[in-house]
Amino acid sequence: IPVMNGFRDYVAMLFEEIVKPIVAGYDSCGKGSTDVVLHCGSMYRSCFRHVALYRQLVATTERVEQYVFPFLDKYALLPNFDVSSDAMENLKLVMTAGSDSSNNMMLDENSQRELAELAAAFLTRDYEAVWDQRFNPKLLSADANYMTKRVALQILSTVLLTRSNYAVMIRYVNSRINLVIVMKLLRDTSPHITLDAFHVFKVFVANPSKIPEVEKILRDNSQKLCSYLETLHQDKEASDQQFADEKKLIIATIRGL
């Protein structure tokens, strides 16, 4: 569409001048301007559904620090529910390259593939800063609220199960610390969070190249894990054959360690 191409080219030419105030607009929340923040979020997502603009966003660690990390460091953790939810939507778009949104319906296959490869490159390059320093301790901590933890688990599951993120997946699931975080979330009081945590946990178990520390935790806790998993979401198991099959496979794998 010519008008959208014109929009994309204009933002690309004035990237810093346009994106910087959009991100800074989230600071308006403290002044009671929620509507301003939500408009900024809409503009942010409109920009980075374009491959050329997304490429500029994640091109360097410096760009990511300026225009992505503020959402991980601050905006997703704000007490205003509307604002924090909007910030999480931005993170979902950036970290999954829009793979679980309507964005894919607007892009051709080559563009979808390019977005996924760009996302994988930045998540690998900035792995420690993204996952170890921010995502895990801030979005998956016991202090994070229900919405934050749930969306964060959905983002994580999408990232780990996306083929282009293989390097990120292998590094993430070969971490004893990450496994412990996810196992704790499996015991959350919210059934929605335990279900989302299961879809992350199964990647740890299914990994054929587990490091000794990860395998030891699973083996040492196998009896408790299997007993718990057998009772996990039995209502869903009765109506969802895929979930039932996945549960059986994960339990069998743990018992076979």
Side-chain angles (χ1 to χ4, degrees):
I1 303 174
V3 67
M4 294 306 296
N5 291 341
F7 164 81
R8 176 202 62 203
D9 296 342
Y10 182 76
V11 176
M13 182 174 61
L14 300 171
F15 188 90
E16 300 279 352
E17 291 89 337
I18 292 174
V19 177
K20 186 174 182 178
I22 288 176
V23 174
Y26 278 78
D27 291 322
S28 300
C29 178
K31 303 171 186 176
S33 303
T34 301
D35 288 345
V36 171
V37 174
L38 298 182
H39 282 303
C40 288
S42 179
M43 289 187 285
Y44 186 93
R45 292 187 292 277
S46 293
C47 288
F48 300 120
R49 289 188 175 102
H50 294 271
V51 176
L53 300 179
Y54 184 86
R55 185 186 299 111
Q56 285 205 50
L57 176 70
V58 300
T60 65
T61 298
E62 183 180 6
R63 280 274 173 87
V64 172
E65 288 173 345
Q66 286 180 291
Y67 305 127
V68 178
F69 285 174
F71 296 101
L72 282 163
D73 290 334
K74 181 166 55 171
Y75 303 136
L77 308 175
L78 290 172
N80 184 302
F81 178 81
D82 290 333
V83 173
S84 60
S85 297
D86 194 77
M88 290 299 293
E89 284 301 308
N90 293 344
L91 287 173
K92 181 185 291 187
L93 174 69
V94 173
M95 297 183 72
T96 69
S99 62
D100 61 347
S101 72
S102 60
N103 192 44
N104 271 352
M105 298 175 64
M106 302 165 59
L107 298 172
D108 59 46
E109 187 174 338
N110 288 336
S111 295
Q112 291 176 29
R113 186 183 305 112
E114 187 172 359
L115 275 175
E117 290 172 354
L118 288 167
F122 114 76
L123 291 172
T124 302
R125 182 194 66 217
D126 300 326
Y127 182 94
E128 290 182 4
V130 172
W131 303 104
D132 297 341
Q133 297 172 18
R134 290 174 171 83
F135 195 93
N136 285 354
K138 296 184 179 184
L139 305 188
L140 296 179
S141 73
D143 295 330
N145 64 39
Y146 164 81
M147 181 281 299
T148 299
K149 284 190 284 191
R150 188 167 185 204
V151 177
L153 281 167
Q154 292 168 358
I155 292 171
L156 177 57
S157 177
T158 300
V159 169
L160 297 182
L161 295 173
T162 299
R163 183 173 302 191
S164 55
N165 290 325
Y166 180 79
V168 174
M169 182 272 290
I170 288 296
R171 185 169 178 180
Y172 193 93
V173 300
N174 272 324
S175 163
R176 178 184 63 82
I177 294 173
N178 294 347
L179 175 59
V180 170
I181 289 171
V182 174
M183 286 173 64
K184 287 180 179 178
L185 289 166
L186 265 178
R187 301 300 299 266
D188 195 90
T189 55
S190 164
H192 296 295
I193 288 178
T194 59
L195 180 60
D196 290 330
F198 172 79
H199 289 304
V200 175
F201 177 72
K202 69 186 182 185
V203 186
F204 284 86
V205 178
N207 175 23
S209 304
K210 301 176 188 67
I211 61 171
E213 294 91 333
V214 166
E215 185 164 334
K216 184 177 188 302
I217 289 175
L218 293 172
R219 186 171 58 248
D220 290 350
N221 293 277
S222 61
Q223 187 172 349
K224 290 181 180 179
L225 277 169
C226 291
S227 296
Y228 177 71
L229 289 171
E230 283 174 346
T231 63
L232 184 68
H233 292 285
Q234 289 178 317
D235 53 338
K236 181 176 177 60
E237 189 175 1
S239 60
D240 187 333
Q241 189 58 48
Q242 181 178 345
F243 176 72
D245 291 343
E246 287 180 348
K247 252 184 63 168
K248 289 176 183 176
L249 178 60
I250 294 306
I251 291 170
T253 303
I254 293 173
R255 283 179 173 153
L257 292 174

